[in-house]
Amino acid sequence: MRPIPDDLARAVDEWHATYRQLAAQPRTVLRRRLVKLSGEVLFHPRWHGRRTPAASALYAGGYRARDVSAAS
């Protein structure tokens, strides 16, 4: 499997950080940023319109990295 491109990994990391910020403080600027990042991730040339194991790994990795104890 080819490695995840740096720009895609950066966009996913920023997406998760923005989502956490938006959950804590709903702001229009954060919603717009989330939409922009979603497009970058979803339409990245790496995917070519298909869901790959690498895409699943990116999303699963971001979810596991989340601190669930903070939600309690």
Side-chain angles (χ1 to χ4, degrees):
M1 179 178 356
R2 294 182 348 219
I4 303 297
D6 291 338
D7 62 330
L8 179 56
R10 177 206 45 82
V12 170
D13 289 343
E14 288 183 29
W15 188 95
H16 285 287
T18 302
Y19 192 86
R20 284 189 296 271
Q21 292 171 3
L22 182 62
Q25 277 191 340
R27 299 282 185 256
T28 300
V29 69
L30 292 173
R31 283 190 288 274
R32 289 179 181 153
R33 176 93 176 119
L34 197 60
V35 168
K36 178 184 178 294
L37 289 167
S38 295
E40 285 183 32
V41 171
L42 183 61
F43 297 108
H44 192 276
R46 168 83 163 127
W47 309 134
H48 297 287
R50 66 186 191 284
R51 184 71 171 201
T52 65
S56 299
L58 274 174
Y59 286 101
Y63 182 76
R64 282 190 304 249
R66 190 177 122 219
D67 182 13
V68 293
S69 64
S72 310

